[in-house]
């Protein structure tokens, strides 16, 4: 009797500790730390903030040494990124890959826990065939460089948008787009051989924006709904996140890569937006992110991957006030620059308060003018250029944003036709115009937080050609 009572007491004590530990620490919850902003707190303050939460992984879009150093000895896993513009050099020159690792990884490891390098962002769906063909060689060269420096435990992969699928409904019928199959097969063979993940950006927010019915909103926010039946498997999906992740699982399985792990590199919901945007609100953002975290913590998994929570990086740690585009682009942050919560979704550890706000106040610039979703495309013979008097910080943010969105910025890399003059204004002008020309030539794609304007004067010079043309 006493023995049974003792066993029961020990069981419940261990169970309590387990539940308490899960509530304080979830290895599957990460967050994106974007830097397209001019009002962010110092990295040291951010490191303290993260340690007060149950977030155990941080994804950077580059390899900011100040942030990587600040996260040293915290135990927080770090994902760093190589830009799309680095891919040609990484692919063609193994020494460039070694130098990249020497500069961005070796000085910080193992004190800073770098776990993954993402090479490029949404490259395969950029429709830049040359960049697509260079992607896997770039990844392989980085992998080889890591191995040569005894850093082979750091995985290497790339990040995909959901557009990599030809179809996603129902989830069991999902297939990758045939235009990307040759590159994907090569990439997945690498993922499978090295144990690196297939990283994806599923956003139920965008699914709702394209189908703004009340029942779709409930399905996307993990709220009570009738569900959606996959008639091929007789599985009823009760939320969009599971359906999107299982669509990727089905596509991977159909190609014979059942063992390749899926990682959600980005997902989130904006808490505000422009007047013509459907979906952004504090209520919706809190419901999506809060219910997603509860879903992950339940460890129920998805119907095709039960009993395991997919590693998921929330978007985002802070708002990025210098991002161009509609207002929602600047309103995904879970925390404010003063380190307080935008809204509470239960990320703080038990008994923790957010760190004290920095003594120096930060200010947020005014939001850009509201773009109209129905505005016509601009005419031909126009180029997108910075306005006069724009700060170097804003120009650098514009440059980072444009080159991080899949355009080919190789012309402004060392040795490129537009590298000289080697100034922020020259490089930003080239990148901003290329983004505008390739993103549909809509007025809002030459907004850049009201720091850009359209000009009829062609900025091309010598052998540096700035694309421009009629729609």
């Amino acid at each position: 009797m006493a023995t049974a009572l003792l066993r029961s007491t020990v069981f419940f004590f261990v169970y309590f500790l387990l539940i308490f530990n899960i509530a304080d620490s979830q290895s599957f919850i990460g967050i994106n730390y974007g830097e397209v902003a001019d009002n962010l707190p110092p990295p040291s303050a951010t490191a303290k903030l993260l340690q007060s939460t149950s977030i155990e992984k941080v994804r950077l879009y580059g390899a900011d040494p100040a942030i990587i150093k600040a996260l040293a000895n915290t135990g927080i896993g770090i994902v760093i990124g190589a830009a799309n513009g680095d891919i040609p050099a990484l692919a063609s020159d193994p020494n460039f890959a070694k130098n990249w690792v020497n500069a961005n990884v070796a000085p910080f490891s193992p004190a800073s826990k770098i776990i993954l390098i993402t090479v490029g962002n949404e490259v395969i769906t950029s429709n830049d065939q040359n960049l697509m063909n260079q992607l896997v060689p770039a990844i392989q060269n980085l992998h080889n460089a890591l191995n040569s420096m005894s850093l082979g435990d750091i995985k290497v992969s790339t990040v995909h948008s959901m557009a990599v699928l030809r179809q996603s409904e129902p989830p069991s019928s999902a297939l990758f787009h045939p235009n990307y199959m040759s590159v994907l097969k090569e990439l997945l063979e690498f993922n499978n051989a090295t144990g690196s993940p297939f990283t994806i950006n599923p956003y139920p927010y965008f699914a709702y924006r394209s189908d703004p019915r009340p029942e779709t909103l409930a399905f996307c926010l993990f709220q009570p709904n009738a569900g959606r039946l996959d008639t091929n498997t007789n599985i009823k999906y009760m939320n969009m996140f599971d359906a999107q992740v299982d669509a990727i699982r089905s596509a991977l399985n159909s190609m014979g890569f059942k063992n390749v792990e899926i990682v959600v590199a980005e997902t989130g919901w904006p808490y505000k937006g422009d007047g013509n945007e459907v979906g952004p609100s504090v209520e919706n953002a809190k419901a999506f992110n809060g219910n997603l975290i509860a879903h992950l913590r339940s460890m129920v998994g998805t119907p095709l991957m039960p009993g395991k929570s997919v590693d998921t990086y929330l978007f985002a740690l802070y708002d990025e006030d210098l991002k161009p585009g509609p207002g929602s682009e600047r309103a995904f942050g879970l925390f404010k620059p003063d380190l307080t919560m935008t809204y509470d979704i239960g990320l703080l550890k038990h008994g923790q308060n957010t760190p004290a706000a920095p003594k120096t106040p930060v200010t947020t610039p005014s939001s850009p003018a509201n773009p109209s979703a129905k505005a016509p495309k601009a005419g031909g013979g126009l180029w997108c250029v910075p306005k006069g008097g724009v700060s170097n910080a804003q120009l650098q943010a514009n440059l980072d944003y444009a080159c991080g969105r899949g355009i080919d910025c190789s012309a402004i890399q060392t040795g490129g036709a537009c590298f000289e003059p080697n100034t922020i204004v020259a490089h930003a002008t080239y990148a901003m115009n290329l983004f505008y020309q390739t993103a549909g030539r809509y007025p809002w794609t030459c907004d850049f937080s009201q720091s850009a304007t359209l000009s009829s004067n062609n900025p091309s010079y010598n052998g540096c050609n700035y694309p421009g043309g009629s729609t």
Side-chain angles (χ1 to χ4, degrees), residues 90-121:
L90 286 170
S92 62
D93 186 359
N95 286 325
F96 183 90
K98 288 182 179 180
N99 291 337
W100 196 96
V101 173
N102 272 323
N104 299 302
V105 181
F108 313 109
S109 184
S112 296
K113 188 180 173 183
I114 299 172
I115 56 176
L116 176 68
I117 301 172
T118 57
V119 180
N121 190 52

Side-chain angles (χ1 to χ4, degrees), residues 324 401-402 405 407 430-440 445 448:
Y401 180 88
R405 288 303 181 274
I407 64 172
Y430 181 88
M432 291 161 65
N433 178 68
L434 186 57
F435 178 83
Y436 164 73
Q437 301 294 344
T438 58
T445 58
F448 291 94

